[in-house]
Amino acid sequence: MTTSVRDQRTRDDREELTALIAAGAAQLTTAWSILHTSQRTLLDRLAQIEGGRAVGAAQQIRIALVAFNANVGEFDRRARAFVERWAAQDLPVAYRVGAVRALERAAASRDLFTWTANHQAAITGLTAPFWGDLIRRIAEAVRRAQAFARAAQDAARSVLGVQAERLLDEHPLDTVIYANQARHPVRSWAAAALSWQGVVTANHGAINTARDELGAEWMEVRDGPECGWVNHPDTDHADGTLRSLDECATYPSAHHGCIREFYPRPDLTGRTDIADGDPA
């Protein structure tokens, strides 16, 4: 049995999206590692200063803090540069991947997709909040690094001196802290955050292409067998169902790590006997 050209292209597109997300997560994690590495370096340097009130200690502490703050600035620059590239270059690639996959699944030419005004407006609307989410995380990381620097400085000047493990536990710069105070390693957070953004963007590319280029009104959903439509535990299972374009746009993904995909069904356009959630 041979693999059709269309199937091979669809597989290549999926791999392109996966590679895009993985590369982005690695770059963001690498930028974040500057914080943790410089945090360890600062603690080591402060621990070597014998007594925060000794002659020359204040200057040594100041020099160590200047170096740490310079590294925080370097992290901020690198991380923000990544986010700019991600929003301006990578997410549009993800959108196009979703668009051409949708065309392939409908046995239509990939060349039907072009960056029309509607598609340009759609990607702008998607990338703006995603860009903001990542920038807020970076700003929060900088704030936490500055709080750590103040705590480390106070410890170096105190009688007890620098207690490295306590400071690392109270100021874990190798993690992202969620609103519920849960700590997540930067690598896992970056992979989850960028995967969510990439998949949602690709699925919107598919939805908008189904509407604009194919004239479709319904999408066939492919998802994990146990995944619910609104969220993972939802008893309204998504896989193998038909959903309207508006419903798909509302729930392009159910959760972080969701593998949801949409197959355009232009053959069902005009049908009035279909409801959201009907089997395909």
Side-chain angles (χ1 to χ4, degrees):
M1 180 181 293
T2 60
T3 301
S4 71
V5 172
R6 187 173 76 243
D7 288 345
Q8 182 61 49
R9 284 178 172 175
T10 299
R11 186 177 300 110
D12 290 344
D13 288 335
R14 186 180 301 111
E15 291 173 353
E16 180 181 11
L17 180 60
T18 300
L20 188 76
I21 292 167
Q27 292 170 37
L28 194 54
T29 301
T30 297
W32 228 280
S33 68
I34 296 172
L35 289 182
H36 190 236
T37 299
S38 59
Q39 181 181 41
R40 289 278 188 179
T41 300
L42 176 61
L43 290 173
D44 289 343
R45 292 183 68 177
L46 293 180
Q48 294 172 11
I49 301 172
E50 295 184 3
R53 300 182 184 279
V55 176
Q59 182 178 5
Q60 293 178 60
I61 293 171
R62 185 163 53 251
I63 291 172
L65 287 169
V66 167
F68 175 78
N69 287 328
N71 286 327
V72 173
E74 179 64 14
F75 155 74
D76 191 47
R77 286 189 293 274
R78 289 194 189 185
R80 286 176 180 270
F82 164 77
V83 173
E84 294 294 342
R85 291 195 305 273
W86 174 256
Q89 300 175 24
D90 295 341
L91 285 179
V93 170
Y95 184 95
R96 186 181 185 282
V97 164
V100 297
R101 273 199 328 219
L103 293 170
E104 287 284 346
R105 286 165 181 153
S109 171
R110 297 160 65 101
D111 295 337
L112 285 177
F113 176 80
T114 59
W115 283 105
T116 62
N118 283 346
H119 288 307
Q120 291 179 33
I123 190 61
T124 298
L126 286 165
T127 56
F130 288 160
W131 176 89
D133 289 344
L134 295 175
I135 290 295
R136 280 190 290 274
R137 284 292 182 193
I138 293 167
E140 174 64 13
V142 170
R143 186 198 66 76
R144 290 174 56 206
Q146 292 169 340
F148 159 74
R150 290 191 295 271
Q153 177 179 254
D154 291 343
R157 291 173 174 173
S158 71
V159 175
L160 294 176
V162 174
Q163 296 176 300
E165 292 307 314
R166 178 181 63 80
L167 287 167
L168 288 171
D169 181 64
E170 293 177 354
H171 303 274
L173 299 185
D174 59 343
T175 68
V176 169
I177 300 179
Y178 288 8
N180 63 0
Q181 300 306 305
R183 298 179 179 183
H184 295 266
V186 168
R187 182 177 295 277
S188 62
W189 163 78
L194 298 189
S195 177
W196 168 268
Q197 293 189 4
V199 168
V200 168
T201 299
N203 282 345
H204 273 290
I207 295 163
N208 295 334
T209 298
R211 176 186 293 110
D212 293 352
E213 277 70 38
L214 298 175
E217 297 174 347
W218 296 93
M219 299 292 257
E220 183 175 333
V221 184
R222 288 289 177 262
D223 208 337
E226 300 301 321
C227 189
W229 177 242
V230 175
N231 49 51
H232 191 72
D234 186 1
T235 56
D236 178 12
H237 290 167
D239 188 46
T241 61
L242 296 171
R243 307 282 171 165
S244 66
L245 296 189
D246 287 344
E247 187 75 357
C248 291
T250 302
Y251 299 106
S253 183
H255 56 88
H256 286 81
C258 189
I259 60 172
R260 180 168 298 170
E261 296 183 81
F262 297 124
Y263 287 48
R265 293 294 303 271
D267 56 308
L268 300 179
T269 297
R271 291 272 298 271
T272 59
D273 58 330
I274 304 173
D276 280 308
D278 281 356

